[in-house]
């Protein structure tokens, strides 16, 4: 009995030590993650700001369908998601396949060069893009010198080309991040599988489509979900390239930028901003569940 009691006391001591060890992390998570989630959910049922807040019930939710700016931001966000994510994922896979070629020289240089944009200064690359894609920038001058267009493109003033510029900026910045995951996965594939396919006379493009891509499905699922979350929360690129306006004519306004404007730029409406933020939460949850379900069905 004494031995059992002693073991029980040691177990309680170990359990207490574990709680004490994790207490600082749990406290930080509670303060900076759990509380803001609960507080924003409560706030979404109120209108006004500061001491002038009053309970509004479902008014903020009903306001969404009658808010043309919100609908514009929602449409822009979905356009960026539908267009940009497939482009970025496909380009990342192709770049990883090229760098996985054993005959390619200077692999380390190319890998670093492609990955570098995602760790570069956001302000620096925004300034670079503004300079490159200005009316008299290097991009317009190069396209005109090649005879591909007769007059310069207003990348930052035309609604269509502004969207294209945002997609280019996001792809340039984050493709290298996804490429690293694909490259690591490709390098872990057993080479004997490719050797057997080569002996059987399978061409290289079929080896890539029917061997490499199926074995990358877990990585494709992971990068697709993370890219989806990042695109639906798109803020930095739009804010820096359009000075926070989401222009021209709200053509690049996203939900995250609209939340920022509702909170800090327009007449502050914290409750409505919290409601819009939960639109992003619902979209991320539904799309992530759909992607998990689709991947499981294919398997």
């Amino acid at each position: 009995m004494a031995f059992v009691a002693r073991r029980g006391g040691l177990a309680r001591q170990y359990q207490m030590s574990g709680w004490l060890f994790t207490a600082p992390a749990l406290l930080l998570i509670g303060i900076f993650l759990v509380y803001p989630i609960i507080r924003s959910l409560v706030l979404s049922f109120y209108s006004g700001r500061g001491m002038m807040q009053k309970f509004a019930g479902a008014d903020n939710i009903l306001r969404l369908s009658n808010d043309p700016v919100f609908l514009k931001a929602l449409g822009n966000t979905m356009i960026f998601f539908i267009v940009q994510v497939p482009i970025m994922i496909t380009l990342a896979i192709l770049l990883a396949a090229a760098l996985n070629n054993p005959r390619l020289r200077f692999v380390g240089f190319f890998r670093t060069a492609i990955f570098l944009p995602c760790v570069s200064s956001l302000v620096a690359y925004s300034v670079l893009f503004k300079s490159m894609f200005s009316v008299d920038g290097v991009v317009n001058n190069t396209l005109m010198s090649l005879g591909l267009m007769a007059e310069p493109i207003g990348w930052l003033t035309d609604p269509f080309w502004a969207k294209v510029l945002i997609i280019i900026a996001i792809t340039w910045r984050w493709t290298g991040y996804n490429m690293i995951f694909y490259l690591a996965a490709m390098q872990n594939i057993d080479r004997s599988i490719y050797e057997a396919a080569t002996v059987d006379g399978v061409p290289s493009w079929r080896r890539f489509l029917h061997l490499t891509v199926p074995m990358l499905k877990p990585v494709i699922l992971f990068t697709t979900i993370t890219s989806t979350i990042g695109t639906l929360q798109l803020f930095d690129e739009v804010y820096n390239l359009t000075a926070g306006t989401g222009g021209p004519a709200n053509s690049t306004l996203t939900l995250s930028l609209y939340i920022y404007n509702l909170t800090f730029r327009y007449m502050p409406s914290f409750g409505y901003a919290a409601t819009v933020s939960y639109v992003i939460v619902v979209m991320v949850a539904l799309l992530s569940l759909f992607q998990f379900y689709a991947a499981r069905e294919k398997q």
Side-chain angles (χ1 to χ4, degrees):
M1 293 294 294
F3 175 73
V4 173
R6 187 165 57 252
R7 287 194 60 182
L10 289 174
R12 285 192 295 271
Q13 289 180 5
Y14 289 145
Q15 188 177 26
M16 182 61 67
S17 299
W19 280 110
L20 291 175
F21 182 77
T22 58
L26 293 175
L27 180 62
L28 292 175
I29 292 174
I31 294 174
F32 295 105
L33 182 62
V34 178
Y35 173 75
I37 292 175
I38 297 174
R39 176 58 180 164
S40 63
L41 180 60
V42 173
L43 193 63
S44 65
F45 292 97
Y46 285 81
S47 62
R49 59 191 179 97
M51 300 298 294
M52 303 301 293
Q53 288 184 359
K54 61 179 181 179
F55 184 76
D59 288 352
N60 288 328
I61 299 176
L62 298 175
R63 178 180 170 185
L64 294 174
S65 60
N66 298 318
D67 183 359
V69 180
F70 165 77
L71 296 176
K72 182 69 174 179
L74 177 62
N76 292 337
T77 302
M78 293 305 300
I79 289 174
F80 289 137
F81 163 69
I82 293 171
V83 176
Q84 184 264 331
V85 172
I87 292 175
M88 186 168 60
I89 297 300
T90 302
L91 187 58
I93 294 176
L94 295 177
L95 289 172
L99 293 179
N100 195 43
N101 188 345
R103 292 175 293 180
L104 181 66
R105 301 179 62 184
F106 309 111
V107 174
F109 169 77
F110 291 117
R111 183 173 59 240
T112 303
I114 297 172
F115 181 74
L116 187 61
C118 73
V119 295
S120 62
S121 169
L122 179 62
V123 176
Y125 108 85
S126 299
V127 172
L128 175 65
F129 261 68
K130 281 186 176 181
S131 174
M132 291 175 57
F133 288 89
S134 62
V135 176
D136 57 348
V138 63
V139 174
N140 279 337
N141 289 333
T142 301
L143 293 175
M144 292 177 65
S145 64
L146 294 175
L148 298 178
M149 62 183 190
E151 56 184 18
I153 297 175
W155 294 95
L156 295 171
T157 57
D158 183 271
F160 172 79
W161 291 111
K163 285 188 176 70
V164 174
L165 176 58
I166 296 297
I167 293 172
I168 293 174
I170 303 170
T171 304
W172 179 83
R173 184 170 175 81
W174 294 112
T175 296
Y177 175 81
N178 291 324
M179 180 204 70
I180 292 298
F181 291 101
Y182 292 120
L183 182 59
M186 290 179 185
Q187 291 176 345
N188 285 321
I189 297 176
D190 190 352
R191 303 302 301 178
S192 62
I193 299 175
Y194 295 110
E195 293 171 0
T198 304
V199 171
D200 290 339
V202 180
S204 57
W205 66 271
R206 292 192 63 184
R207 292 199 300 269
F208 177 76
L209 290 179
H210 299 288
L211 292 177
T212 304
V213 174
M215 287 186 282
L216 293 177
K217 282 184 178 179
V219 184
I220 293 175
L221 176 62
F222 169 76
T223 54
T224 301
I225 291 176
T226 55
S227 299
T228 297
I229 294 172
T231 304
L232 294 180
Q233 296 177 341
L234 179 61
F235 174 82
D236 295 337
E237 287 78 5
V238 178
Y239 180 84
N240 283 277
L241 291 175
T242 67
T245 63
N250 288 331
S251 60
T252 60
L253 182 68
T254 61
L255 290 175
S256 293
L257 183 58
Y258 187 43
I259 294 169
Y260 172 84
N261 289 339
L262 285 171
T263 307
F264 299 107
R265 292 176 65 94
Y266 306 155
M267 179 66 70
S269 182
F270 300 144
Y272 187 54
T275 304
V276 176
S277 70
Y278 272 92
V279 173
I280 299 178
V281 172
V282 172
M283 291 172 62
V284 169
L286 292 178
L287 289 172
S288 298
L289 287 174
F290 171 77
Q291 290 164 353
F292 271 117
Y293 178 79
R296 186 179 63 179
E297 286 296 312
K298 289 181 179 180
Q299 290 177 357

